[in-house]
Amino acid sequence: MDNQTRQVREAVSNVEKHFGELCQIFAAYVRKTARLRDKADLLVNEIYAYAATETPSLKLGLKNFADEFSKLQDYRQAEVERLEAKVVDPLKSYGTIVKLKRDDLKATLTAKNREAKQLSQLERTRQRNPSDRHIIAESDLQRASMDATRTSRQLEETIDNFEKQKIKDIKSIFSEFITIEMLFHGKALEIYTAAYQNIHTIDENDDLEVFRSSLYPPDYQSRLDIVRANSKSPLQRTGSSKFSSGIIQQISNSRLRKEEEEDEEEEEDDDELEATKEER
Amino acid sequence: MDNQTRQVREAVSNVEKHFGELCQIFAAYVRKTARLRDKADLLVNEIYAYAATETPSLKLGLKNFADEFSKLQDYRQAEVERLEAKVVDPLKSYGTIVKLKRDDLKATLTAKNREAKQLSQLERTRQRNPSDRHIIAESDLQRASMDATRTSRQLEETIDNFEKQKIKDIKSIFSEFITIEMLFHGKALEIYTAAYQNIHTIDENDDLEVFRSSLYPPDYQSRLDIVRANSKSPLQRTGSSKFSSGIIQQISNSRLRKEEEEDEEEEEDDDELEATKEER
């Protein structure tokens, strides 16, 4: 095996090796992106759950934020699918391409070597018998030389195509990666701009009014009024009139028990998370 | 325990529960972001490793891309640290805040209940003995009523502060989250724009020239020239003069062996990745 043959084979092996590694790491990158989306989905659900228990302005602000954040996760899902289709899959299919190219090169290299051998043999024959076998050797040498040149040019072409295609593919794969990522980051900026407004417009004073009125139901207020009416010197009570109407939330004991159970589950989750952390 | 007391306690428990869950999920989101950064770091290293084996234009383009992509990972690291400091830690410390608030509320609620009991007891006493103990009961009732009103107002204030602070904190935590994420996405767009240029300017024709000249070393060329000079009819060989000068890369057998070993390791990695995938 001459230097050239070795060099071509090494070039193909190198591409095989690095495209394989790139494929694996890009796939891992995509998987981690999908896991990030999973956690973001959990966040969306938890924000909805928390918002449902809150006063109107906070409830609306958080719900709207969760709507936007959920939309962003749809874009992240699209990012994941596009990266798989346009980056991971093309790198994966390169394994097959490289194998075919390698067979192609092997055949051409074999022919080239066979012809080079034939050519040098003819040269030797001609030098040993310069007189009587001159005519035959001359035309044989000429044909062998032409064959060797043709096969060499064919090999050059095969290698050229391989190299050219490889660079084109690398360019296309990385361009796709960048485009897909940019699309996602652009959408993220757009969505977070809207989401910021949702959080910014939450009005703590509006919510405080509602919370107060839910805490001080009419029966409590009227009981105080009776005391005040019965006592001879009316108390100077101000600022509580706004608490007079209210909503009484019914809290059953079963619900309280349920919450305690959930707290225990949370602690278990915590342990699991810690365990996962330690595995790293 | 009256409805109001129960309601206040439920509000505090609700915050404790949901802030705890939000804290956990945000922490998981941050961890997944950190893992995504880990994979991106691996990608940076592999791109550098592959670039080192390639022809000049591809080498430079990939190296510059890896430089930019590596910079983005520094921003991702900053994102991770900021999210921990401005989102996860504040939510975590809310556990302590809620406990203190709960003690605060408990004390005020206890006083309120005691005073309400005292007030209704005095009312009953006055109704049972409308004549002889009238004067004493009247002033007692008045003082008890004032105490109850004062404590009620104090409770209102405590609850108000808790609610107000909670909404302010939620707003601040979510605003920080959005700002940190936007900062990262903005940087990502900026960096990918530069990175796109790095990939776009890779010139496959330049690289092809270099690759060809490295493949066809002078000794091969001169051997063909000898054949051509010896044969009577010179071959019409064109387009190969540019292959005449070249770099001969020395490939030792030990290096080839090393690559085979690495291939085996890759396969093992593949199995590990598959195993991780199945664990999910």
PDB file of all heavy atoms in Angstrom, chain B residues 108-138:
ATOM      1  N   THR B 108     -50.849  36.470  66.478  1.00  0.00           N
ATOM      2  CA  THR B 108     -51.917  37.458  66.340  1.00  0.00           C
ATOM      3  C   THR B 108     -53.289  36.796  66.363  1.00  0.00           C
ATOM      4  O   THR B 108     -54.236  37.310  66.967  1.00  0.00           O
ATOM      5  CB  THR B 108     -51.735  38.264  65.031  1.00  0.00           C
ATOM      6  OG1 THR B 108     -50.355  38.522  64.833  1.00  0.00           O
ATOM      7  CG2 THR B 108     -52.493  39.566  65.089  1.00  0.00           C
ATOM      8  N   LEU B 109     -53.389  35.637  65.700  1.00  0.00           N
ATOM      9  CA  LEU B 109     -54.667  34.916  65.675  1.00  0.00           C
ATOM     10  C   LEU B 109     -55.057  34.454  67.071  1.00  0.00           C
ATOM     11  O   LEU B 109     -56.236  34.523  67.468  1.00  0.00           O
ATOM     12  CB  LEU B 109     -54.578  33.709  64.727  1.00  0.00           C
ATOM     13  CG  LEU B 109     -54.654  33.985  63.228  1.00  0.00           C
ATOM     14  CD1 LEU B 109     -54.282  32.745  62.439  1.00  0.00           C
ATOM     15  CD2 LEU B 109     -56.058  34.450  62.825  1.00  0.00           C
ATOM     16  N   THR B 110     -54.064  33.975  67.847  1.00  0.00           N
ATOM     17  CA  THR B 110     -54.321  33.518  69.212  1.00  0.00           C
ATOM     18  C   THR B 110     -54.876  34.671  70.054  1.00  0.00           C
ATOM     19  O   THR B 110     -55.894  34.518  70.750  1.00  0.00           O
ATOM     20  CB  THR B 110     -53.021  32.980  69.857  1.00  0.00           C
ATOM     21  OG1 THR B 110     -52.467  32.006  68.976  1.00  0.00           O
ATOM     22  CG2 THR B 110     -53.273  32.376  71.226  1.00  0.00           C
ATOM     23  N   ALA B 111     -54.244  35.818  69.959  1.00  0.00           N
ATOM     24  CA  ALA B 111     -54.700  37.002  70.699  1.00  0.00           C
ATOM     25  C   ALA B 111     -56.109  37.396  70.275  1.00  0.00           C
ATOM     26  O   ALA B 111     -56.971  37.675  71.114  1.00  0.00           O
ATOM     27  CB  ALA B 111     -53.736  38.159  70.458  1.00  0.00           C
ATOM     28  N   LYS B 112     -56.346  37.374  68.983  1.00  0.00           N
ATOM     29  CA  LYS B 112     -57.660  37.755  68.449  1.00  0.00           C
ATOM     30  C   LYS B 112     -58.758  36.827  68.987  1.00  0.00           C
ATOM     31  O   LYS B 112     -59.824  37.280  69.439  1.00  0.00           O
ATOM     32  CB  LYS B 112     -57.635  37.706  66.922  1.00  0.00           C
ATOM     33  CG  LYS B 112     -58.918  38.192  66.251  1.00  0.00           C
ATOM     34  CD  LYS B 112     -58.797  38.181  64.766  1.00  0.00           C
ATOM     35  CE  LYS B 112     -59.591  37.113  64.048  1.00  0.00           C
ATOM     36  NZ  LYS B 112     -60.888  36.719  64.475  1.00  0.00           N
ATOM     37  N   ASN B 113     -58.466  35.521  68.963  1.00  0.00           N
ATOM     38  CA  ASN B 113     -59.453  34.555  69.437  1.00  0.00           C
ATOM     39  C   ASN B 113     -59.729  34.723  70.931  1.00  0.00           C
ATOM     40  O   ASN B 113     -60.881  34.646  71.364  1.00  0.00           O
ATOM     41  CB  ASN B 113     -58.971  33.122  69.152  1.00  0.00           C
ATOM     42  CG  ASN B 113     -59.073  32.785  67.670  1.00  0.00           C
ATOM     43  OD1 ASN B 113     -59.761  33.480  66.917  1.00  0.00           O
ATOM     44  ND2 ASN B 113     -58.369  31.749  67.253  1.00  0.00           N
ATOM     45  N   ARG B 114     -58.649  34.917  71.697  1.00  0.00           N
ATOM     46  CA  ARG B 114     -58.798  35.093  73.139  1.00  0.00           C
ATOM     47  C   ARG B 114     -59.673  36.312  73.442  1.00  0.00           C
ATOM     48  O   ARG B 114     -60.584  36.249  74.263  1.00  0.00           O
ATOM     49  CB  ARG B 114     -57.409  35.268  73.773  1.00  0.00           C
ATOM     50  CG  ARG B 114     -57.374  35.061  75.285  1.00  0.00           C
ATOM     51  CD  ARG B 114     -56.009  35.379  75.849  1.00  0.00           C
ATOM     52  NE  ARG B 114     -55.549  36.699  75.438  1.00  0.00           N
ATOM     53  CZ  ARG B 114     -54.355  36.952  74.888  1.00  0.00           C
ATOM     54  NH1 ARG B 114     -53.486  35.968  74.688  1.00  0.00           N
ATOM     55  NH2 ARG B 114     -54.013  38.175  74.522  1.00  0.00           N
ATOM     56  N   GLU B 115     -59.412  37.387  72.736  1.00  0.00           N
ATOM     57  CA  GLU B 115     -60.151  38.619  72.962  1.00  0.00           C
ATOM     58  C   GLU B 115     -61.606  38.523  72.504  1.00  0.00           C
ATOM     59  O   GLU B 115     -62.503  39.079  73.137  1.00  0.00           O
ATOM     60  CB  GLU B 115     -59.448  39.793  72.261  1.00  0.00           C
ATOM     61  CG  GLU B 115     -58.235  40.263  73.050  1.00  0.00           C
ATOM     62  CD  GLU B 115     -57.232  41.014  72.198  1.00  0.00           C
ATOM     63  OE1 GLU B 115     -57.545  41.293  71.027  1.00  0.00           O
ATOM     64  OE2 GLU B 115     -56.149  41.322  72.701  1.00  0.00           O
ATOM     65  N   ALA B 116     -61.828  37.811  71.409  1.00  0.00           N
ATOM     66  CA  ALA B 116     -63.198  37.632  70.915  1.00  0.00           C
ATOM     67  C   ALA B 116     -64.020  36.840  71.930  1.00  0.00           C
ATOM     68  O   ALA B 116     -65.192  37.152  72.196  1.00  0.00           O
ATOM     69  CB  ALA B 116     -63.171  36.916  69.569  1.00  0.00           C
ATOM     70  N   LYS B 117     -63.358  35.817  72.529  1.00  0.00           N
ATOM     71  CA  LYS B 117     -63.999  34.988  73.549  1.00  0.00           C
ATOM     72  C   LYS B 117     -64.365  35.849  74.761  1.00  0.00           C
ATOM     73  O   LYS B 117     -65.503  35.794  75.269  1.00  0.00           O
ATOM     74  CB  LYS B 117     -63.000  33.890  73.969  1.00  0.00           C
ATOM     75  CG  LYS B 117     -63.620  32.533  74.264  1.00  0.00           C
ATOM     76  CD  LYS B 117     -62.510  31.487  74.303  1.00  0.00           C
ATOM     77  CE  LYS B 117     -62.817  30.337  75.227  1.00  0.00           C
ATOM     78  NZ  LYS B 117     -61.643  29.445  75.356  1.00  0.00           N
ATOM     79  N   GLN B 118     -63.410  36.645  75.201  1.00  0.00           N
ATOM     80  CA  GLN B 118     -63.577  37.538  76.349  1.00  0.00           C
ATOM     81  C   GLN B 118     -64.736  38.505  76.091  1.00  0.00           C
ATOM     82  O   GLN B 118     -65.572  38.751  76.961  1.00  0.00           O
ATOM     83  CB  GLN B 118     -62.275  38.314  76.563  1.00  0.00           C
ATOM     84  CG  GLN B 118     -62.131  38.916  77.949  1.00  0.00           C
ATOM     85  CD  GLN B 118     -60.888  39.800  78.034  1.00  0.00           C
ATOM     86  OE1 GLN B 118     -60.087  39.842  77.099  1.00  0.00           O
ATOM     87  NE2 GLN B 118     -60.743  40.519  79.142  1.00  0.00           N
ATOM     88  N   LEU B 119     -64.791  39.011  74.876  1.00  0.00           N
ATOM     89  CA  LEU B 119     -65.808  39.985  74.503  1.00  0.00           C
ATOM     90  C   LEU B 119     -67.208  39.383  74.585  1.00  0.00           C
ATOM     91  O   LEU B 119     -68.127  39.969  75.188  1.00  0.00           O
ATOM     92  CB  LEU B 119     -65.533  40.484  73.075  1.00  0.00           C
ATOM     93  CG  LEU B 119     -66.420  41.595  72.527  1.00  0.00           C
ATOM     94  CD1 LEU B 119     -66.328  42.858  73.360  1.00  0.00           C
ATOM     95  CD2 LEU B 119     -66.032  41.910  71.081  1.00  0.00           C
ATOM     96  N   SER B 120     -67.359  38.159  74.029  1.00  0.00           N
ATOM     97  CA  SER B 120     -68.688  37.546  74.036  1.00  0.00           C
ATOM     98  C   SER B 120     -69.083  37.142  75.453  1.00  0.00           C
ATOM     99  O   SER B 120     -70.267  37.172  75.809  1.00  0.00           O
ATOM    100  CB  SER B 120     -68.724  36.345  73.083  1.00  0.00           C
ATOM    101  OG  SER B 120     -67.824  35.359  73.528  1.00  0.00           O
ATOM    102  N   GLN B 121     -68.073  36.799  76.279  1.00  0.00           N
ATOM    103  CA  GLN B 121     -68.341  36.440  77.686  1.00  0.00           C
ATOM    104  C   GLN B 121     -68.879  37.669  78.441  1.00  0.00           C
ATOM    105  O   GLN B 121     -69.848  37.568  79.196  1.00  0.00           O
ATOM    106  CB  GLN B 121     -67.041  35.949  78.332  1.00  0.00           C
ATOM    107  CG  GLN B 121     -67.283  34.989  79.489  1.00  0.00           C
ATOM    108  CD  GLN B 121     -65.951  34.364  79.951  1.00  0.00           C
ATOM    109  OE1 GLN B 121     -64.949  34.447  79.257  1.00  0.00           O
ATOM    110  NE2 GLN B 121     -65.979  33.751  81.137  1.00  0.00           N
ATOM    111  N   LEU B 122     -68.258  38.797  78.222  1.00  0.00           N
ATOM    112  CA  LEU B 122     -68.692  40.047  78.869  1.00  0.00           C
ATOM    113  C   LEU B 122     -70.101  40.427  78.433  1.00  0.00           C
ATOM    114  O   LEU B 122     -70.917  40.857  79.247  1.00  0.00           O
ATOM    115  CB  LEU B 122     -67.722  41.191  78.539  1.00  0.00           C
ATOM    116  CG  LEU B 122     -66.444  41.247  79.380  1.00  0.00           C
ATOM    117  CD1 LEU B 122     -65.495  42.280  78.823  1.00  0.00           C
ATOM    118  CD2 LEU B 122     -66.783  41.568  80.855  1.00  0.00           C
ATOM    119  N   GLU B 123     -70.362  40.214  77.132  1.00  0.00           N
ATOM    120  CA  GLU B 123     -71.702  40.512  76.608  1.00  0.00           C
ATOM    121  C   GLU B 123     -72.753  39.684  77.334  1.00  0.00           C
ATOM    122  O   GLU B 123     -73.803  40.203  77.740  1.00  0.00           O
ATOM    123  CB  GLU B 123     -71.765  40.193  75.111  1.00  0.00           C
ATOM    124  CG  GLU B 123     -71.349  41.345  74.214  1.00  0.00           C
ATOM    125  CD  GLU B 123     -71.566  41.004  72.742  1.00  0.00           C
ATOM    126  OE1 GLU B 123     -72.710  41.112  72.275  1.00  0.00           O
ATOM    127  OE2 GLU B 123     -70.592  40.599  72.080  1.00  0.00           O
ATOM    128  N   ARG B 124     -72.442  38.384  77.481  1.00  0.00           N
ATOM    129  CA  ARG B 124     -73.384  37.480  78.154  1.00  0.00           C
ATOM    130  C   ARG B 124     -73.596  37.919  79.599  1.00  0.00           C
ATOM    131  O   ARG B 124     -74.733  37.974  80.083  1.00  0.00           O
ATOM    132  CB  ARG B 124     -72.851  36.044  78.102  1.00  0.00           C
ATOM    133  CG  ARG B 124     -73.269  35.277  76.860  1.00  0.00           C
ATOM    134  CD  ARG B 124     -73.196  33.768  77.077  1.00  0.00           C
ATOM    135  NE  ARG B 124     -71.890  33.313  77.586  1.00  0.00           N
ATOM    136  CZ  ARG B 124     -70.818  33.107  76.794  1.00  0.00           C
ATOM    137  NH1 ARG B 124     -70.898  33.291  75.493  1.00  0.00           N
ATOM    138  NH2 ARG B 124     -69.675  32.713  77.323  1.00  0.00           N
ATOM    139  N   THR B 125     -72.511  38.249  80.304  1.00  0.00           N
ATOM    140  CA  THR B 125     -72.587  38.682  81.711  1.00  0.00           C
ATOM    141  C   THR B 125     -73.486  39.914  81.844  1.00  0.00           C
ATOM    142  O   THR B 125     -74.339  39.994  82.725  1.00  0.00           O
ATOM    143  CB  THR B 125     -71.168  39.027  82.226  1.00  0.00           C
ATOM    144  OG1 THR B 125     -70.287  37.971  81.888  1.00  0.00           O
ATOM    145  CG2 THR B 125     -71.170  39.247  83.734  1.00  0.00           C
ATOM    146  N   ARG B 126     -73.306  40.849  80.955  1.00  0.00           N
ATOM    147  CA  ARG B 126     -74.076  42.095  81.006  1.00  0.00           C
ATOM    148  C   ARG B 126     -75.561  41.823  80.773  1.00  0.00           C
ATOM    149  O   ARG B 126     -76.439  42.396  81.442  1.00  0.00           O
ATOM    150  CB  ARG B 126     -73.565  43.054  79.925  1.00  0.00           C
ATOM    151  CG  ARG B 126     -74.008  44.486  80.115  1.00  0.00           C
ATOM    152  CD  ARG B 126     -73.509  45.341  78.973  1.00  0.00           C
ATOM    153  NE  ARG B 126     -74.223  45.035  77.746  1.00  0.00           N
ATOM    154  CZ  ARG B 126     -75.124  45.853  77.180  1.00  0.00           C
ATOM    155  NH1 ARG B 126     -75.383  47.030  77.703  1.00  0.00           N
ATOM    156  NH2 ARG B 126     -75.749  45.499  76.078  1.00  0.00           N
ATOM    157  N   GLN B 127     -75.857  40.880  79.823  1.00  0.00           N
ATOM    158  CA  GLN B 127     -77.261  40.564  79.546  1.00  0.00           C
ATOM    159  C   GLN B 127     -77.926  39.846  80.727  1.00  0.00           C
ATOM    160  O   GLN B 127     -79.118  40.042  80.983  1.00  0.00           O
ATOM    161  CB  GLN B 127     -77.375  39.729  78.262  1.00  0.00           C
ATOM    162  CG  GLN B 127     -77.396  40.607  77.004  1.00  0.00           C
ATOM    163  CD  GLN B 127     -76.946  39.857  75.761  1.00  0.00           C
ATOM    164  OE1 GLN B 127     -76.652  38.675  75.805  1.00  0.00           O
ATOM    165  NE2 GLN B 127     -76.877  40.594  74.644  1.00  0.00           N
ATOM    166  N   ARG B 128     -77.124  39.005  81.436  1.00  0.00           N
ATOM    167  CA  ARG B 128     -77.686  38.263  82.578  1.00  0.00           C
ATOM    168  C   ARG B 128     -77.918  39.192  83.773  1.00  0.00           C
ATOM    169  O   ARG B 128     -78.880  39.035  84.511  1.00  0.00           O
ATOM    170  CB  ARG B 128     -76.730  37.113  82.974  1.00  0.00           C
ATOM    171  CG  ARG B 128     -77.171  35.773  82.391  1.00  0.00           C
ATOM    172  CD  ARG B 128     -76.328  34.645  82.958  1.00  0.00           C
ATOM    173  NE  ARG B 128     -75.577  33.960  81.893  1.00  0.00           N
ATOM    174  CZ  ARG B 128     -74.263  33.793  81.868  1.00  0.00           C
ATOM    175  NH1 ARG B 128     -73.520  34.251  82.874  1.00  0.00           N
ATOM    176  NH2 ARG B 128     -73.709  33.168  80.872  1.00  0.00           N
ATOM    177  N   ASN B 129     -77.036  40.159  84.020  1.00  0.00           N
ATOM    178  CA  ASN B 129     -77.150  41.079  85.158  1.00  0.00           C
ATOM    179  C   ASN B 129     -77.278  42.525  84.669  1.00  0.00           C
ATOM    180  O   ASN B 129     -76.332  43.288  84.742  1.00  0.00           O
ATOM    181  CB  ASN B 129     -75.910  40.976  86.057  1.00  0.00           C
ATOM    182  CG  ASN B 129     -75.582  39.524  86.396  1.00  0.00           C
ATOM    183  OD1 ASN B 129     -76.380  38.821  87.005  1.00  0.00           O
ATOM    184  ND2 ASN B 129     -74.402  39.098  85.969  1.00  0.00           N
ATOM    185  N   PRO B 130     -78.447  42.860  84.136  1.00  0.00           N
ATOM    186  CA  PRO B 130     -78.590  44.180  83.510  1.00  0.00           C
ATOM    187  C   PRO B 130     -78.537  45.340  84.524  1.00  0.00           C
ATOM    188  O   PRO B 130     -78.197  46.454  84.151  1.00  0.00           O
ATOM    189  CB  PRO B 130     -79.955  44.112  82.832  1.00  0.00           C
ATOM    190  CG  PRO B 130     -80.671  42.984  83.462  1.00  0.00           C
ATOM    191  CD  PRO B 130     -79.712  42.109  84.153  1.00  0.00           C
ATOM    192  N   SER B 131     -78.793  45.057  85.852  1.00  0.00           N
ATOM    193  CA  SER B 131     -78.911  46.179  86.820  1.00  0.00           C
ATOM    194  C   SER B 131     -77.620  46.433  87.620  1.00  0.00           C
ATOM    195  O   SER B 131     -76.830  47.328  87.290  1.00  0.00           O
ATOM    196  CB  SER B 131     -80.082  45.933  87.770  1.00  0.00           C
ATOM    197  OG  SER B 131     -79.960  44.616  88.326  1.00  0.00           O
ATOM    198  N   ASP B 132     -77.343  45.566  88.637  1.00  0.00           N
ATOM    199  CA  ASP B 132     -76.279  45.868  89.616  1.00  0.00           C
ATOM    200  C   ASP B 132     -74.846  45.930  89.076  1.00  0.00           C
ATOM    201  O   ASP B 132     -74.045  46.762  89.503  1.00  0.00           O
ATOM    202  CB  ASP B 132     -76.366  44.912  90.827  1.00  0.00           C
ATOM    203  CG  ASP B 132     -76.347  43.458  90.424  1.00  0.00           C
ATOM    204  OD1 ASP B 132     -76.997  43.102  89.410  1.00  0.00           O
ATOM    205  OD2 ASP B 132     -75.647  42.670  91.083  1.00  0.00           O
ATOM    206  N   ARG B 133     -74.497  45.037  88.109  1.00  0.00           N
ATOM    207  CA  ARG B 133     -73.099  45.062  87.647  1.00  0.00           C
ATOM    208  C   ARG B 133     -72.955  45.844  86.340  1.00  0.00           C
ATOM    209  O   ARG B 133     -71.984  45.682  85.613  1.00  0.00           O
ATOM    210  CB  ARG B 133     -72.592  43.627  87.495  1.00  0.00           C
ATOM    211  CG  ARG B 133     -72.636  42.871  88.837  1.00  0.00           C
ATOM    212  CD  ARG B 133     -72.113  41.477  88.707  1.00  0.00           C
ATOM    213  NE  ARG B 133     -70.675  41.456  88.431  1.00  0.00           N
ATOM    214  CZ  ARG B 133     -69.986  40.324  88.246  1.00  0.00           C
ATOM    215  NH1 ARG B 133     -70.604  39.156  88.287  1.00  0.00           N
ATOM    216  NH2 ARG B 133     -68.698  40.386  88.010  1.00  0.00           N
ATOM    217  N   HIS B 134     -73.938  46.720  86.128  1.00  0.00           N
ATOM    218  CA  HIS B 134     -74.002  47.422  84.846  1.00  0.00           C
ATOM    219  C   HIS B 134     -72.752  48.277  84.566  1.00  0.00           C
ATOM    220  O   HIS B 134     -72.152  48.190  83.489  1.00  0.00           O
ATOM    221  CB  HIS B 134     -75.250  48.313  84.803  1.00  0.00           C
ATOM    222  CG  HIS B 134     -75.361  49.110  83.547  1.00  0.00           C
ATOM    223  ND1 HIS B 134     -75.758  48.536  82.359  1.00  0.00           N
ATOM    224  CD2 HIS B 134     -75.119  50.412  83.289  1.00  0.00           C
ATOM    225  CE1 HIS B 134     -75.745  49.474  81.429  1.00  0.00           C
ATOM    226  NE2 HIS B 134     -75.373  50.624  81.966  1.00  0.00           N
ATOM    227  N   ILE B 135     -72.377  49.087  85.561  1.00  0.00           N
ATOM    228  CA  ILE B 135     -71.278  50.048  85.350  1.00  0.00           C
ATOM    229  C   ILE B 135     -69.957  49.332  85.031  1.00  0.00           C
ATOM    230  O   ILE B 135     -69.270  49.645  84.060  1.00  0.00           O
ATOM    231  CB  ILE B 135     -71.095  50.984  86.590  1.00  0.00           C
ATOM    232  CG1 ILE B 135     -72.417  51.622  86.993  1.00  0.00           C
ATOM    233  CG2 ILE B 135     -70.018  52.053  86.286  1.00  0.00           C
ATOM    234  CD1 ILE B 135     -73.045  52.560  85.990  1.00  0.00           C
ATOM    235  N   ILE B 136     -69.610  48.353  85.880  1.00  0.00           N
ATOM    236  CA  ILE B 136     -68.328  47.633  85.703  1.00  0.00           C
ATOM    237  C   ILE B 136     -68.297  46.905  84.348  1.00  0.00           C
ATOM    238  O   ILE B 136     -67.338  47.013  83.595  1.00  0.00           O
ATOM    239  CB  ILE B 136     -68.102  46.621  86.864  1.00  0.00           C
ATOM    240  CG1 ILE B 136     -68.077  47.370  88.191  1.00  0.00           C
ATOM    241  CG2 ILE B 136     -66.793  45.848  86.646  1.00  0.00           C
ATOM    242  CD1 ILE B 136     -68.324  46.496  89.406  1.00  0.00           C
ATOM    243  N   ALA B 137     -69.406  46.181  84.066  1.00  0.00           N
ATOM    244  CA  ALA B 137     -69.456  45.418  82.818  1.00  0.00           C
ATOM    245  C   ALA B 137     -69.350  46.327  81.607  1.00  0.00           C
ATOM    246  O   ALA B 137     -68.719  45.991  80.602  1.00  0.00           O
ATOM    247  CB  ALA B 137     -70.760  44.615  82.755  1.00  0.00           C
ATOM    248  N   GLU B 138     -69.966  47.501  81.737  1.00  0.00           N
ATOM    249  CA  GLU B 138     -69.936  48.458  80.617  1.00  0.00           C
ATOM    250  C   GLU B 138     -68.495  48.854  80.260  1.00  0.00           C
ATOM    251  O   GLU B 138     -68.093  48.801  79.105  1.00  0.00           O
ATOM    252  CB  GLU B 138     -70.758  49.697  81.001  1.00  0.00           C
ATOM    253  CG  GLU B 138     -70.962  50.681  79.866  1.00  0.00           C
ATOM    254  CD  GLU B 138     -71.915  50.150  78.794  1.00  0.00           C
ATOM    255  OE1 GLU B 138     -72.820  49.344  79.142  1.00  0.00           O
ATOM    256  OE2 GLU B 138     -71.730  50.505  77.628  1.00  0.00           O
TER     257      GLU B 138
END
